[in-house]
Amino acid sequence: TNNDNVWMNVGSGSGNINAFSASGGNVTNTSAVSGKTIHVFTSSGNLVVTGTGQADVLVVAGGGGTGSRSPGGAGAGGLIWQTGRTFAAGTYSIVIGAGGSGGAGGGNNAGTNGSNSTITFNSSAILTAIGGGEGVHAGSDGGDGGSGGGTSHTGSDRFGEGTQTDQSGDSGTYGFGNDGSYSVYSGNPFVTGGGGGAGSAGSIGNAGASQGAGGAGGAGKDLSSLLSTTWGDSGWFASGGGGGTSNGVNNANCYGGHA
């Protein structure tokens, strides 16, 4: 049952029936979200559930990092949004995935994918959001991940693939992630494709720009009407990173891997 209802045993049995409640994370009670209690985990911890009931769940993995020297935009961490999931009583381990690291300067050095975010119960992962793919340095394939990373390569098959929806069980069924993109221009300045986001794929680099412009990052998922604008980027989650260029002209408003 929800909120403050407590059911009393009026039969021949003894004891009260436990209300559905939880503790853990940063707890917020807000009338802006239909009066629901929200548990926000910005770092790893435990969610302790009393009773059995349903709750909506959002899980976002860490966004990818980018390589050095003309990298593509990094892919956003995979996102899972499931409404009405049943939670049994017990302790749920919450692991928050970190963002990927950037490549070291001084050459074509790779970054890394973001880390997975998971919810585990009774030693089994019940939901896994996959870390975002690396946005790669010149000439390499974009990294596969929850959403894929972009690349400066001109091959239309060289971008990183979004793999969140390929995951088994509820992680894929309720998962969101898209592909990164690539470049259509192989000369100097190098231009790169955008990283994928939860809402759409990254855009192609140099799409009609006279001097070359990096492709926009893929759109995130807008949950502002359900979770208000308090969290994420004003209620948006898991946007892809924008691609850059070697002459410093990149695409404006390309935010990477927002929580």
Side-chain angles (χ1 to χ4, degrees):
T1 184
N2 293 325
N3 300 326
D4 297 327
N5 298 325
V6 177
W7 294 95
M8 308 294 291
N9 194 331
V10 296
S12 58
S14 61
N16 298 334
I17 300 173
N18 289 333
F20 177 55
S21 63
S23 62
N26 301 315
V27 180
T28 301
N29 295 286
T30 172
S31 60
V33 192
S34 303
K36 294 181 179 180
T37 300
I38 299 178
H39 298 259
V40 180
F41 287 82
T42 56
S43 59
S44 300
N46 290 325
L47 179 72
V48 180
V49 174
T50 300
T52 298
Q54 293 184 332
D56 301 338
V57 187
L58 172 66
V59 186
V60 183
T66 60
S68 60
R69 189 172 293 177
S70 304
L79 182 149
I80 301 169
W81 171 245
Q82 183 180 8
T83 60
R85 184 181 180 91
T86 298
F87 283 83
T91 298
Y92 294 77
S93 174
I94 312 296
V95 173
I96 304 300
S101 61
N108 289 338
N109 298 309
T112 63
N113 282 15
S115 298
N116 298 347
S117 293
T118 60
I119 300 178
T120 300
F121 184 61
N122 288 338
S123 300
S124 296
I126 59 174
L127 291 174
T128 300
I130 304 300
E134 173 207 357
V136 297
H137 54 284
S140 299
D141 293 354
D144 296 339
S147 282
T151 179
S152 62
H153 206 290
T154 57
S156 61
D157 60 346
R158 304 297 293 269
F159 55 80
E161 295 183 358
T163 62
Q164 185 62 52
T165 58
D166 297 332
Q167 303 308 303
S168 61
D170 289 344
S171 298
T173 300
Y174 301 101
F176 296 85
N178 288 281
D179 296 339
S181 195
Y182 59 99
S183 175
V184 295
Y185 184 63
S186 60
N188 193 10
F190 292 103
V191 294
T192 66
S200 67
S203 296
I204 298 171
N206 198 41
S210 59
Q211 290 186 328
K221 186 167 181 61
D222 182 7
L223 295 174
S224 59
S225 64
L226 300 169
L227 297 177
S228 82
T229 59
T230 303
W231 296 280
D233 183 11
S234 298
W236 286 80
F237 295 84
S239 303
T245 74
S246 60
N247 69 354
V249 179
N250 66 351
N251 197 297
N253 300 320
C254 299
Y255 303 101
H258 278 324

